[in-house]
Amino acid sequence: STVNGKVPPIKECPPLPAPPEPQKQLGDVATQAIKEQVEASGESVVVSQAPENKVVSEASGSVLTSKRGTLANLKKARLPKWMQFLEPLVSVIIITNVIEQVLRLEYQGYIQGVSMGLQESGEWPDLEAVFSVTPHIFCLAFLFELGIRLYFLRTKYFYQLASIQWFNMLDFVVTVSTVIDLYIVQLLMEQT
């Protein structure tokens, strides 16, 4: 538009800022950290010169991580192939343990009902023997699973890629406290 018949002068726009440089440093640092952790475990790796900056296992040729590498890829690379079935198996054992605990609580309610005269006896025969054995079976299964993971992952079970594995710590504490409760505290209570 014109002002008083004159065209206003064109103002120069400031130059656009230069585009930010790609953040290669973060990816390189993460890749180097993963490479060092895997090499510390005894496996030989190569960092490819491709743009993805992948860490590749020399033994298996599998890609352990890239710039967007995941902890799951690193774990899979460190555990034997047969252990891929461990996670679903442990999930089934956990669900079975929950069902067993619900049934045990129902059974304890039934026993209380019989002792108070609210129910007739004999509806759940011989379950006392079953419920005295099942905690030991589940405890040993969880202890076996913990032992396998500690054997293969060692300290990486608790601390991996510069972060603490809180759920693994919780799993460890629950399993160890269950062993202490079932095998040490129960023995001490029986002796007194």
Side-chain angles (χ1 to χ4, degrees):
S1 76
T2 61
V3 178
N4 296 334
K6 296 181 181 177
V7 177
I10 299 176
K11 295 181 182 177
E12 283 191 35
C13 295
L16 294 175
E21 297 215 7
Q23 294 184 352
K24 292 181 182 176
Q25 185 178 6
L26 180 61
D28 293 342
V29 171
T31 301
Q32 187 62 31
I34 292 171
K35 179 183 176 193
E36 288 171 4
Q37 278 197 341
V38 173
E39 285 178 342
S41 69
E43 187 171 348
S44 179
V45 294
V46 173
V47 177
S48 73
Q49 299 303 319
E52 293 106 17
N53 212 15
K54 296 178 180 177
V55 178
V56 181
S57 167
E58 283 186 338
S60 64
S62 63
V63 175
L64 301 179
T65 185
S66 62
K67 282 185 182 177
R68 289 179 271 146
T70 63
L71 185 59
N73 290 341
L74 182 61
K75 283 183 180 180
K76 288 178 186 173
R78 298 214 23 167
L79 298 174
K81 287 191 179 225
W82 60 268
M83 283 188 64
Q84 67 184 342
F85 301 108
L86 186 64
E87 205 63 43
L89 178 65
V90 170
S91 298
V92 168
I93 292 172
I94 289 171
I95 291 169
T96 307
N97 187 13
V98 168
I99 292 170
E100 182 268 339
Q101 289 179 358
V102 168
L103 290 175
R104 180 183 313 168
L105 287 173
E106 283 291 322
Y107 179 70
Q108 289 173 351
Y110 161 75
I111 295 296
Q112 290 298 319
V114 169
S115 68
M116 293 172 26
L118 300 174
Q119 290 183 334
E120 295 182 20
S121 179
E123 293 180 20
W124 292 31
D126 302 325
L127 278 183
E128 190 68 39
V130 171
F131 288 133
S132 66
V133 172
T134 54
H136 298 283
I137 294 171
F138 287 115
C139 181
L140 292 175
F142 293 133
L143 188 62
F144 179 72
E145 180 251 347
L146 179 66
I148 287 174
R149 290 187 187 276
L150 286 174
Y151 177 78
F152 285 106
L153 293 175
R154 303 200 192 303
T155 58
K156 307 282 189 289
Y157 182 75
F158 300 108
Y159 186 78
Q160 212 168 52
L161 293 178
S163 67
I164 296 173
Q165 303 297 311
W166 292 107
F167 283 110
N168 288 350
M169 287 208 176
L170 177 67
D171 182 38
F172 178 81
V173 168
V174 168
T175 303
V176 169
S177 63
T178 303
V179 169
I180 290 171
D181 180 48
L182 278 177
Y183 300 112
I184 296 175
V185 173
Q186 293 294 332
L187 288 175
L188 292 176
M189 289 178 65
E190 288 175 3
Q191 290 179 356
T192 58

